[in-house]
Amino acid sequence: MHPCSSLQAEEGDIVISYVEIDPVIVTNFLRAKGKKPGFVQLQAQITTHSTVAHDTIAKHMPLIRDTIIDFLSFTEEATIKDVSKRKQLRESLTKKVKDKLNEVLGNPYAEDLVITHFMWG
């Protein structure tokens, strides 16, 4: 898909728009042991409920990508690798993105973050 492309789905009277974070995010994280860093690869979409929110998120994608990369870079190895903590990781990442957008723009605009691909090594 094109960077910041979207899909829409109607759920009752609510239109949900998905803004893809593209290209795939690849960043390093510090391992608990050893000097060689690990890597994490993430593909995700941000859900919104309005055209204004969709367009704002697409416009500020560099800020969102930077926030995600910064968050993942300082996330503990155990959290990244533990599948049972994936929901917690997604919720924390969503909060971080919404907090950053609210800090910079005065509105979080994003409803949720949907992880569609997650790999580490």
Side-chain angles (χ1 to χ4, degrees):
M1 286 190 145
H2 181 272
C4 303
S5 63
S6 71
L7 298 171
Q8 290 189 348
E10 290 187 31
E11 193 173 285
D13 292 334
I14 300 172
V15 175
I16 301 170
S17 179
Y18 297 89
V19 184
E20 187 165 345
I21 300 171
D22 196 34
V24 173
I25 292 175
V26 179
T27 190
N28 290 323
F29 66 89
L30 295 174
R31 292 187 188 268
K33 297 179 183 177
K35 295 180 181 180
K36 186 177 177 184
F39 78 90
V40 64
Q41 186 179 69
L42 173 101
Q43 189 163 8
Q45 297 179 0
I46 296 173
T47 62
T48 67
H49 289 160
S50 75
T51 303
V52 171
H54 176 275
D55 294 345
T56 302
I57 286 171
K59 180 180 177 182
H60 293 281
M61 192 55 66
L63 175 66
I64 293 167
R65 289 180 55 82
D66 179 66
T67 301
I68 292 169
I69 290 168
D70 186 57
F71 178 85
L72 291 172
S73 296
F74 293 99
T75 300
E76 293 180 7
E77 179 179 14
T79 301
I80 287 175
K81 291 183 174 183
D82 189 342
V83 175
S84 68
K85 293 183 181 180
R86 194 68 40 86
K87 182 179 178 185
Q88 175 190 346
L89 178 69
R90 183 187 64 78
E91 289 171 353
S92 296
L93 190 52
T94 300
K95 181 178 180 342
K96 192 74 166 173
V97 167
K98 289 171 80 171
D99 288 350
K100 179 55 80 171
L101 288 170
N102 195 43
E103 173 189 328
V104 172
L105 304 174
N107 188 324
Y109 291 102
E111 295 297 324
D112 201 359
L113 181 93
V114 179
I115 296 174
T116 56
H117 172 80
F118 190 85
M119 185 172 74
W120 52 266

